[in-house]
C-alpha cells in the first residue's frame, strides 16, 4: 500500500499523463526514425526491396555520400539557404513588428493582412515566384528592363547562382510574417512602464531599443531563430516546385536529394542516409532550442 | 533534472519528426491501396485475392481486379472507364476498378506498395520504368500468354527482360517535329530535314518575341526522353556518350542556345509547357509527342501547324514512349489476364487508341489507323525510327547522368567534352 502510494507521488502521476503522447510518438515518430536508420545501413534498392535479400553494409552509404559531389553541394546549399533566409526574414520581420507595435489606425488589420503570405499553400507561392522570375515573361525582368537597370533579361531560374537567389526571395517572403507575428507577441509582453521610466530618465529611442527591447526579447528571439532554422532547413515543396533541384543540381537541398535518390532512382538506402544526416543536424538544433528555452525558465 | 532532460529529448524528437514524414521514411506513410477507388463500389479485396487461385467463381461474388494508371487527361480517364464498364458488363466473374495515381507519385506509390504488399493487380506504367519493377520481382511472367509478334519491336523490348515477356504494350508514341506553317511561309523557309537545315530555319524564324525551336530539357526522365533523338541521330547510344558522336549531339544543343534560336528556359519547361508556348505563338518549331494533338486542336483551332520527322544528323531517330500493361504477381492474376485479353483485342485497341490520340503498338492496326493527311500520320512514320530507352533496371540512374549532361551544356556550366566525360564516368560506374 505504501509502495503504491509512493508510486502515485506527484511527479509519477505527471508521467502517467505524458504516457499517451509518449506512446503515440513511439509509434509514429520513433518507429519511422529507427526504421530509417536501419534502412540507411543496408543496401536496399529496386532489386532487393521485395525479395528481402538486403545486406547490412554499415557505413558504406554514408561514406559514398560524402564522396558524392551532389550530396556535399546539397548539404552546403541547405546551410546557405537557411542562413540567408533567416537573416533577411528576421530583420524584415523584426522591423515590421516594431512598426506595427505603434498605435496608429489600421495597425492591426494591416498586420493581419501581412500574414497572408504565410497562409498561402507553398505550392501556390512557388508557382507564383516561378512565373515572377521567368526569363521572358516574368514581371521582375520586365520591371528591371523598364527601369533601364538591365539591358538583357536575367535568366533567374536557369543560372545556378541566381536560381538560389530566387528561392531565397520566395522563402523570405513566406518567412517574414512568421517572424513578425512571433516578435509582435514578444513585444506585447514588455511592460509599458519600463519605456515610460526610461523616457523620464532621458533615454533616446536607440538607447531604449538596445537596452530594453532587445534584452527583454531575448527568449523570443531565440525561439524565433531556432524554429525558423528548423522550418527552413527542411524545405522541400518550395524547391521541388520552383527548380526541382536544378539547374544542374545547383539548388538541391538535403530533402529534395533524399527524395530523388529514394523515389526517382530507387536507391532507398542512400536516400534514407541523406534523410538521417538531415535528422542529426535538426536534432542538434532541437536540443539547442530546448536548452535555450529551459534556461530562460530557470532564470 | 533528469526528467527535464527526457522531456527535452522528446520535444527535440517531435520537432524533427516533421522531416521524416516528408522524406526517407516509408513506415509512416499510409498504404495507397486502402483508399477505395472513387468510381465503383468495390467488393472486399482480400477475399477476392484468396479466391483467385481457384478456377471458378461460381459463388456469384465477382472478384476484384484493381488497376493503377497515371493519366491526368480527363479524356483518357473517361475512355479507360468506358472500357472497364464494358468489360464488367460483359461477364460476371470479375469486377475491375481503376485508380488514378499522379505521375509524379506513381513510382513512389508502386515502391511503397511493393514493400507494404499493397499493390494493384494491373499497373499501366511508363515503359522505361518497366525493367526496374521486373527487377524488383513484382511482375508476372507473361511469356506465351499474349501474342505480341505483330507489335513494334521497340515496344515489346521495353517489357522484355532476359528474353521473358513481363508486360503488354498499351500504346506507342514517339517524338516528332511540329512547325508553325504560317511562320515558316512568312520566313520563306522550307521544312528542315537535316540538322544544318534545322539551325538555318530556326534562325530565320527567330524574332524578338519568337524562339525558333523548343523542346523540353528538364533535368529528369522527361528531359532525357527529349534529348534521346538528338543523341541517337549521331549514332551514339545511351550508354556510350563520350565519343565524337555523343559530343557532337551535345555541341549541337549548345549551339542552338548560343545562336539564340532556343530559349534556356527549356530546362524548366515540361512538354506541356513547350506545347503551350507553341500554341501561344512564342515558339515556331517544337519537338513533342502526338498526345498533345487533341489539346492543340481544341485550344488553338486556328493555328496552322504540321508535323514532320525530327531532322537528322547521320540517321533519323526518335524515342519510343508510351505505357505498358503489367500484371502484378501475387494478386488476382487470373482476373488480370482475363481483362487484358479483353482489352488487347483488336477492336478494343482501336477504340482506345483513337480516343487517346495514341498510336497502336500493333503494327497492322497502326498502319491503317490514320489517313495520310492526319496530323498523327507522321508519328506512325516516325515510329519506324523510334527506339526504346533501356530496358535496364538501372535506367533511372543512366537517365539521370544523361539529363545532367545536357543541362550542364545548356546552362553553360560545362563544355560538351566535359559533360560527356562526366556522364560516361557515371554510366560506366552503373553498368559494370
Amino acid at each position: 500500500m505504501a509502495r503504491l502510494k509512493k508510486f502515485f507521488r506527484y511527479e509519477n502521476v505527471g508521467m502517467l499523463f505524458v504516457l499517451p503522447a509518449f506512446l503515440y510518438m513511439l509509434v509514429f515518430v520513433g518507429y519511422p526514425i529507427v526504421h530509417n536508420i536501419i534502412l540507411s545501413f543496408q543496401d536496399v534498392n529496386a532489386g532487393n526491396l521485395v525479395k528481402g535479400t538486403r545486406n547490412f553494409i554499415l557505413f558504406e552509404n554514408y561514406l559514398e555520400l560524402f564522396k558524392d559531389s551532389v550530396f556535399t553541394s546539397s548539404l552546403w546549399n541547405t546551410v546557405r539557404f537557411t542562413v540567408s533566409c533567416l537573416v533577411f526574414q528576421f530583420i524584415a520581420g523584426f522591423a515590421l513588428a516594431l512598426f506595427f507595435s505603434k498605435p496608429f489606425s489600421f495597425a492591426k488589420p494591416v498586420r493581419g493582412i501581412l500574414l497572408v503570405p504565410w497562409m498561402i499553400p507553398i505550392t501556390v507561392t512557388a508557382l507564383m515566384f516561378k512565373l515572377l522570375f521567368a526569363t521572358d515573361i516574368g514581371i521582375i525582368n520586365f520591371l528591371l528592363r523598364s527601369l533601364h537597370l538591365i539591358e538583357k533579361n536575367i535568366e533567374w531560374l536557369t543560372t545556378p547562382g541566381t536560381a538560389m537567389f530566387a528561392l531565397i526571395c520566395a522563402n523570405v517572403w513566406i518567412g517574414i510574417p512568421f517572424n513578425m507575428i512571433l516578435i509582435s507577441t514578444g513585444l506585447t509582453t514588455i511592460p509599458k512602464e519600463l519605456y515610460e521610466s526610461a523616457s523620464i530618465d532621458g533615454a533616446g529611442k536607440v538607447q531604449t531599443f538596445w537596452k530594453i527591447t532587445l534584452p527583454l526579447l531575448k527568449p523570443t528571439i531565440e525561439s524565433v531563430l531556432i524554429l525558423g532554422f528548423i522550418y527552413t532547413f527542411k524545405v522541400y515543396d518550395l524547391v521541388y516546385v520552383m527548380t526541382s533541384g536544378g539547374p544542374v543540381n545547383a539548388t538541391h537541398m538535403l530533402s529534395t536529394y533524399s527524395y530523388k535518390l529514394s523515389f526517382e532512382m530507387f536507391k532507398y538506402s542512400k536516400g534514407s542516409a541523406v534523410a538521417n544526416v538531415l535528422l542529426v543536424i535538426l536534432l542538434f538544433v532541437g536540443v539547442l532550442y530546448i536548452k535555450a528555452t529551459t534556461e530562460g525558465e530557470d532564470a | 533534472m533528469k526528467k527535464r532532460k527526457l522531456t527535452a529529448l522528446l520535444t527535440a524528437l517531435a520537432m524533427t519528426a516533421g522531416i521524416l514524414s516528408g522524406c526517407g521514411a516509408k513506415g509512416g506513410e499510409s498504404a495507397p491501396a486502402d483508399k477505395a477507388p472513387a468510381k465503383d463500389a468495390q467488393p472486399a479485396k482480400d477475399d477476392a485475392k484468396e479466391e483467385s487461385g481457384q478456377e471458378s467463381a461460381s459463388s456469384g461474388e465477382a472478384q476484384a481486379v484493381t488497376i493503377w494508371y497515371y493519366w491526368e487527361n480527363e479524356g483518357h480517364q473517361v475512355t479507360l472507364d468506358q472500357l472497364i464498364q464494358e468489360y464488367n458488363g460483359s461477364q460476371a466473374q470479375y469486377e475491375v476498378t481503376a485508380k488514378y495515381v499522379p505521375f509524379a507519385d506513381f513510382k513512389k506509390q508502386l515502391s511503397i506498395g511493393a514493400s507494404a504488399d499493397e499493390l494493384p493487380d494491373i499497373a499501366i506504367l511508363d515503359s522505361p520504368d518497366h525493367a526496374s519493377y521486373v527487377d524488383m520481382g513484382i511482375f508476372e511472367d507473361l511469356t506465351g500468354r499474349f501474342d505480341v509478334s505483330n507489335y513494334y519491336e521497340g515496344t515489346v523490348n521495353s517489357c522484355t527482360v532476359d528474353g521473358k515477356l513481363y508486360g503488354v504494350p498499351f500504346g506507342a508514341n514517339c517524338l516528332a517535329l511540329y512547325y508553325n506553317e504560317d511562320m515558316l511561309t512568312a520566313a520563306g523557309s522550307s521544312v528542315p530535314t537535316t540538322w544544318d537545315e534545322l539551325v538555318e530555319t530556326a534562325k530565320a524564324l527567330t524574332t524578338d518575341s519568337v524562339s525558333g525551336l523548343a523542346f523540353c530539357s528538364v533535368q529528369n526522365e522527361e528531359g532525357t526522353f527529349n534529348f534521346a533523338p538528338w543523341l541517337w541521330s549521331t549514332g551514339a547510344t545511351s550508354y556510350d556518350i563520350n565519343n565524337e558522336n555523343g559530343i557532337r549531339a551535345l555541341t549541337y544543343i549548345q549551339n542552338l542556345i548560343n545562336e539564340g534560336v532556343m530559349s534556356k528556359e527549356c530546362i524548366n519547361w515540361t512538354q506541356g509547357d513547350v506545347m503551350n508556348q507553341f500554341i501561344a505563338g512564342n515558339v515556331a518549331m517544337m519537338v513533342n509527342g502526338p498526345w498533345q494533338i487533341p489539346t492543340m486542336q481544341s485550344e488553338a483551332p486556328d493555328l496552322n501547324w504540321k508535323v514532320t520527322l525530327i531532322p537528322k544528323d547521320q540517321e533519323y531517330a526518335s524515342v519510343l514512349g508510351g505505357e505498358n500493361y503489367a500484371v502484378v504477381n501475387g494478386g488476382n492474376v487470373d482476373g488480370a489476364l482475363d481483362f487484358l485479353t479483353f482489352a488487347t483485342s483488336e477492336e478494343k485497341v482501336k477504340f482506345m487508341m483513337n480516343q487517346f490520340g495514341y498510336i497502336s503498338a500493333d503494327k497492322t492496326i497502326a498502319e491503317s489507323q490514320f489517313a495520310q493527311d492526319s496530323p498523327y500520320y507522321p508519328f506512325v512514320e516516325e515510329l519506324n525510327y523510334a527506339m526504346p530507352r533501356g530496358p535496364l533496371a538501372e535506367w533511372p540512374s543512366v537517365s539521370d547522368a544523361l539529363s545532367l549532361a545536357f543541362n550542364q551544356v545548356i546552362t553553360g556550366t560545362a563544355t560538351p567534352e566535359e559533360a560527356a566525360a562526366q556522364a560516361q564516368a557515371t554510366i560506366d560506374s552503373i553498368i559494370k
Side-chain angles (χ1 to χ4, degrees), chain A residues 159-184:
Chain A
T159 318
T162 51
M164 183 54 101
F165 174 78
L167 283 178
I168 291 171
C169 285
N171 199 62
V172 166
W173 188 75
I174 302 168
I176 287 175
F178 172 74
N179 283 262
M180 181 192 75
I181 211 73
L182 286 184
I183 293 170
S184 288

Side-chain angles (χ1 to χ4, degrees), chain B residues 104-357:
Chain B
D105 284 343
F106 202 83
K107 284 188 189 182
K108 185 177 88 174
Q109 296 286 43
L110 268 185
S111 301
I112 295 170
S115 60
D117 209 10
E118 291 283 358
L119 287 169
D121 302 305
I122 298 175
I124 306 179
L125 72 160
D126 199 14
S127 55
D129 294 331
H130 209 109
S132 296
Y133 290 103
V134 170
D135 194 43
M136 212 181 265
I138 61 170
F139 289 159
E140 187 79 11
D141 182 358
L142 301 179
T143 316
R145 300 204 222 191
F146 289 94
D147 180 20
V148 290
S149 56
N150 208 21
Y151 281 40
Y152 284 101
E153 200 188 333
T155 64
V156 177
N157 280 346
S158 75
C159 44
T160 306
V161 176
D162 297 334
K164 289 180 187 153
L165 185 72
Y166 286 95
V168 185
F170 171 83
N173 61 52
C174 59
L175 294 174
L177 185 77
Y178 288 74
Y179 58 90
N180 185 318
E181 209 178 7
D182 292 342
M183 290 188 187
L184 213 70
T185 321
S189 304
S190 55
V191 180
T193 56
T194 65
W195 278 15
D196 291 338
E197 286 172 24
L198 181 66
V199 177
E200 288 314 312
T201 314
K203 271 189 204 164
L205 293 171
T206 302
T207 65
D208 283 346
S209 56
V210 178
S211 298
L213 177 69
F215 59 87
C216 160
S217 311
V218 180
Q219 194 188 336
N220 60 20
E221 185 61 41
E222 200 178 347
T224 307
F225 183 62
N226 280 264
F227 173 63
W230 308 103
L231 181 64
W232 295 342
S233 182
T234 63
T237 69
S238 315
Y239 311 117
D240 202 8
I241 182 172
N242 191 18
N243 51 38
E244 195 193 320
N245 292 337
I247 292 170
R248 192 165 64 250
L250 288 169
T251 312
Y252 186 72
I253 309 277
Q254 184 191 40
N255 188 40
L256 291 175
I257 302 290
N258 289 349
E259 294 280 351
V261 298
M262 183 161 118
S263 165
K264 254 192 204 180
E265 289 278 300
C266 283
I267 67 167
N268 283 329
W269 286 351
T270 63
Q271 295 171 117
D273 293 335
V274 170
M275 185 269 290
N276 281 325
Q277 296 290 339
F278 182 79
I279 60 177
N282 297 330
V283 165
M285 296 185 284
M286 67 165 178
V287 174
N288 224 321
W291 61 86
Q292 308 288 14
I293 292 177
T295 319
M296 291 170 67
Q297 283 171 338
S298 67
E299 298 280 319
D302 299 329
L303 196 72
N304 194 6
W305 52 268
K306 279 213 165 68
V307 183
T308 184
L309 296 180
I310 299 176
K312 64 174 179 177
D313 177 44
Q314 302 298 317
E315 52 204 287
Y316 283 118
S318 185
V319 59
L320 190 75
E323 289 84 14
N324 295 331
Y325 289 112
V327 175
V328 175
N329 56 24
N332 190 346
V333 175
D334 293 334
L337 289 176
D338 195 60
F339 172 75
L340 282 193
T341 312
F342 174 84
T344 52
S345 66
E346 191 176 332
E347 184 201 349
K348 298 301 164 221
V349 169
K350 272 186 181 163
F351 164 73
M352 294 293 280
M353 294 303 113
N354 290 335
Q355 295 289 316
F356 267 63

Side-chain angles (χ1 to χ4, degrees), chain A residues 11 33 36 39 46-47 49 51 135 155 157-158 234 248-249 260 263-264 266 268 282-283 290 298, chain B residues 3-4 8 10 16 19-20 24 26 107-108 111 135-136 219 264-265 267-268 396 400 404 408 411:
Chain A
E11 296 94 328
I33 290 179
N36 210 43
L39 192 62
L49 178 71
K51 290 172 192 155
T135 306
E155 291 159 331
L157 291 174
T158 53
K234 67 186 179 70
V248 227
N249 297 333
K260 181 177 169 171
F263 295 122
E264 283 176 23
F266 305 118
Y268 305 107
L282 287 184
L283 202 60
I290 301 302
D298 286 343
Chain B
K3 215 163 286 164
R4 171 166 283 165
L10 286 178
T16 46
I19 51 162
L20 281 164
K26 282 169 282 293
K107 284 188 189 182
K108 185 177 88 174
S111 301
D135 194 43
M136 212 181 265
Q219 194 188 336
K264 254 192 204 180
E265 289 278 300
I267 67 167
N268 283 329
D400 187 60
L404 177 65
Q408 284 175 326
T411 55

Side-chain angles (χ1 to χ4, degrees), chain A residues 50-91:
Chain A
V50 185
K51 290 172 192 155
T53 49
R54 35 183 88 171
N55 301 309
F56 276 94
I57 52 167
L58 295 176
F59 288 96
E60 209 168 296
N61 284 322
Y62 293 93
L63 292 177
E64 271 178 39
L65 276 185
F66 281 97
K67 277 185 237 155
D68 176 358
S69 64
V70 183
F71 170 77
T72 42
S73 77
S74 49
L75 181 61
W76 168 233
N77 281 342
T78 319
V79 173
R80 212 157 48 123
F81 176 79
T82 310
V83 172
S84 324
C85 286
L86 276 188
V87 169
F88 289 113
Q89 70 195 27
F90 177 74
I91 293 175

